[in-house]
Amino acid sequence: SVMEAHSRFGDDATQMVFDAIQQVKHKGYSQFTIERDDVCLDVQLNVIKYRDNAFAGVLLMARDITEHKKNELRLLQSFLSRMRLPY
């Protein structure tokens, strides 16, 4: 829920969502990533419009991409260690 997300990610994430809503009203969409306490969320917002194209609301979707990010980091570390570059 939104309240759970706020309690976990705090005011910074809440402000990011409100800023994204303003962007959605003008662009039609917004996407950003929130990272905190070893959790990573991919957040997307899309505009919802009435048939007459009037603004009706915003659809917010969040996907937990924590494992994906951890796997990316492991692959990068493996690649850099093979190239003998510091990470």
Side-chain angles (χ1 to χ4, degrees):
S1 74
V2 173
M3 293 307 291
E4 289 171 11
H6 174 72
S7 66
R8 175 133 190 175
F9 293 97
D11 291 332
D12 292 340
T14 302
Q15 188 60 49
M16 289 174 76
V17 170
F18 283 119
D19 292 345
I21 289 171
Q22 295 307 312
Q23 183 181 14
V24 166
K25 287 182 179 180
H26 299 288
K27 265 176 87 173
Y29 70 94
S30 182
Q31 182 174 0
F32 57 93
T33 303
I34 299 173
E35 296 183 55
R36 187 165 195 171
D37 300 331
D38 295 330
V39 174
C40 188
L41 298 177
D42 175 49
V43 181
Q44 298 177 6
L45 289 93
N46 293 289
V47 70
I48 301 170
K49 293 186 175 185
Y50 293 109
R51 289 183 187 197
D52 65 357
N53 217 24
F55 179 80
V58 174
L59 173 65
L60 183 145
M61 297 172 281
R63 182 172 61 118
D64 186 341
I65 59 170
T66 305
E67 288 303 313
H68 178 79
K69 288 290 187 179
K70 287 179 181 177
N71 289 334
E72 278 182 347
L73 181 59
R74 279 193 285 269
L75 286 171
L76 178 61
Q77 289 171 338
S78 174
F79 173 75
L80 294 177
S81 68
R82 288 181 186 172
M83 301 299 291
R84 301 192 191 266
L85 298 172
Y87 47 86

